[in-house]
Amino acid sequence: MEKYSEKDIDWLLNLHKDTEKSFRSASSAEPKRLKWKHWVFRILLGFSALLFLIIFPFFLLIRFSVYLNMAYGLGAWTSLTGGILATILLLCIYLFLLSLKVPNIKLLLKLGGIGISIMVLGYCMFSLFYLSGVNAKSADVQSVYRSMHPILRVAVSTATLAESNLVITDIERFEEDYARMGLPVNQTSLHYRQESGYVHAVDIRTRGHGFIRNALLQSSLDIMGFRTIRHVGTADHLHVELRQPDK
């Protein structure tokens, strides 16, 4: 039998220790390499969640109003009121979840509910009665802004929050306007005043903007419940309309 010296035994023991140490070092290095990816993922996830929580109340306000108008045939103001109440309720739920550990939560919810109601109503009133000249192609377009359906007005105003240079090119039309534009008269156009007493269509400029911007704008309005048609050519624009309620 071959005999091993003390040096050989020490070498084997040290080899085992070195191997174990190297294995531990390699094992601990892997989490360090993945740590920054983990934090980047968490930051992106948190940002996305925050963005969703901010955008969702605006979406609910408009989408629920459109739903009430289309599905139940409720009037313009009744439908919009339903959307406003749903949005106030959602924001109150936000406030409740954020203040679970507050001692006097009832008082906070009462005062917060009043503040939220004033904020939502104020936003809607501003959207309903004001259109900046920056967002209108001409003074004529700006002057007929209030002829547009209230839900459509709030939707367009909300779109201007995402894009401050959004431009409305057309709202109300008359039969003679089609002849002036060299187009055949469209008797079913929602640019005419409808039975509701409002114009149910608006045109938004797309010329001079990129494909991604135009696609995002169109898809956002589609999701909100509006019907959109992209007209290309010399008068490149996005036609947006609120269809008549289901009978």
Side-chain angles (χ1 to χ4, degrees):
M1 179 180 294
E2 185 178 358
K3 294 183 179 180
Y4 294 96
S5 64
E6 292 183 3
K7 291 184 178 180
D8 294 331
I9 294 174
D10 291 340
W11 179 82
L12 288 173
L13 291 174
N14 291 331
L15 177 63
H16 172 73
K17 292 179 181 178
D18 292 341
T19 304
E20 184 179 1
K21 185 177 179 181
S22 300
F23 177 77
R24 288 178 179 177
S25 299
S27 300
S28 61
E30 187 65 23
K32 290 181 180 179
R33 286 197 294 267
L34 296 176
K35 192 173 182 179
W36 70 270
K37 295 181 181 179
H38 173 72
W39 280 107
V40 169
F41 175 76
R42 291 186 63 178
I43 291 172
L44 291 176
L45 184 62
F47 177 78
S48 301
L50 179 62
L51 187 62
F52 173 80
L53 292 174
I54 293 173
I55 293 175
F56 187 67
F58 294 100
F59 170 80
L60 178 65
L61 169 64
I62 300 165
R63 187 67 186 89
F64 192 63
S65 299
V66 173
Y67 171 74
L68 293 177
N69 183 255
M70 295 288 298
Y72 295 98
L74 299 181
W77 295 104
T78 304
S79 299
L80 185 58
T81 299
I84 290 172
L85 292 176
T87 305
I88 291 173
L89 177 60
L90 175 67
L91 292 176
C92 286
I93 293 173
Y94 281 7
L95 179 62
F96 173 75
L97 294 176
L98 290 172
S99 57
L100 287 175
K101 296 183 179 181
V102 176
N104 199 348
I105 188 172
K106 290 184 179 180
L107 178 61
L108 177 63
L109 290 176
K110 182 179 179 180
L111 297 177
I114 294 173
I116 288 171
S117 300
I118 293 174
M119 179 179 66
V120 175
L121 288 171
Y123 171 75
C124 288
M125 294 297 292
F126 176 83
S127 302
L128 288 166
F129 297 105
Y130 177 76
L131 176 67
S132 171
V134 175
N135 302 120
K137 178 183 177 181
S138 63
D140 291 337
V141 171
Q142 191 176 15
S143 66
V144 297
Y145 176 68
R146 296 181 187 178
S147 69
M148 191 162 55
H149 196 282
I151 299 176
L152 200 51
R153 271 182 267 169
V154 176
V156 171
S157 180
T158 301
T160 62
L161 293 179
E163 184 185 351
S164 59
N165 62 346
L166 179 144
V167 175
I168 297 174
T169 59
D170 201 2
I171 297 176
E172 186 176 14
R173 289 180 190 169
F174 302 92
E175 289 190 4
E176 54 267 27
D177 292 329
Y178 285 92
R180 179 176 51 82
M181 293 184 293
L183 298 172
V185 176
N186 183 1
Q187 298 292 348
T188 62
S189 174
L190 294 182
H191 281 288
Y192 300 143
R193 287 188 185 249
Q194 306 298 307
E195 294 179 0
S196 64
Y198 296 103
V199 175
H200 282 234
V202 61
D203 292 340
I204 300 175
R205 179 176 293 165
T206 52
R207 185 173 57 186
H209 295 279
F211 171 80
I212 295 178
R213 176 268 187 188
N214 292 331
L216 286 174
L217 176 62
Q218 184 171 4
S219 60
S220 298
L221 291 168
D222 284 336
I223 294 173
M224 289 180 185
F226 300 102
R227 182 171 180 261
T228 63
I229 304 173
R230 176 73 182 277
H231 293 288
V232 296
T234 55
D236 188 2
H237 66 273
L238 180 66
H239 173 84
V240 184
E241 62 183 33
L242 177 64
R243 292 166 291 174
Q244 296 284 12
D246 295 336
K247 303 297 183 181

